[in-house]
Amino acid sequence: QVQLVESGGGWVQPGGSLRLSCSASGIIFKIYRMDWYQQAPGKQRELVARISNEGTTSYADSVRGRFTISRDNAKNTVYLEMNALKPEDTGVYYCNANLASRQHWGQGTQVTVSL
């Protein structure tokens, strides 16, 4: 059974930082591409960061320079370091494991950025 479990969300003031984690089980983690998505209130889920199985990273324009995605294959975990957070970063953050036509989603973790 495949499980992706996100953690690390919470409330933070603008300019603050959070580190999200997504732990995977039931898959050969090291061969999967891993993505982080944001679903803001009332909006569709959007890709914010991606890391290939080889460690190549890419980011949405809105987070480039502020967010860093990384992975630890020994721990079957992908991370999202979020700095200089803005109110528009508020939403539920989901991790996604992707391998060709196979996709797996976590349950999401809430991030709220406000005064």
Side-chain angles (χ1 to χ4, degrees), residues 48-83:
V48 296
R50 169 169 290 172
I51 186 165
S52 74
N53 62 320
E54 297 176 340
T56 301
T57 60
S58 59
Y59 300 92
D61 289 343
S62 60
V63 307
R64 189 175 292 113
R66 299 188 298 119
F67 290 11
T68 302
I69 188 171
S70 61
R71 65 191 298 160
D72 185 336
N73 290 339
K75 295 183 178 180
N76 288 358
T77 300
V78 62
Y79 304 98
L80 187 66
E81 187 76 35
M82 309 165 70
N83 297 315

Side-chain angles (χ1 to χ4, degrees), residues 22-53:
C22 171
S23 296
S25 59
I27 59 173
I28 304 173
F29 179 79
K30 65 181 180 180
I31 66 174
Y32 275 75
R33 186 188 78 205
M34 299 299 298
D35 300 333
W36 282 100
Y37 284 76
Q38 176 203 15
Q39 187 161 21
K43 295 187 177 182
Q44 290 190 335
R45 204 172 292 189
E46 294 184 345
L47 177 67
V48 296
R50 169 169 290 172
I51 186 165
S52 74
N53 62 320

Side-chain angles (χ1 to χ4, degrees), residues 1-3 25-27:
Q1 183 181 0
V2 178
Q3 274 196 314
S25 59
I27 59 173

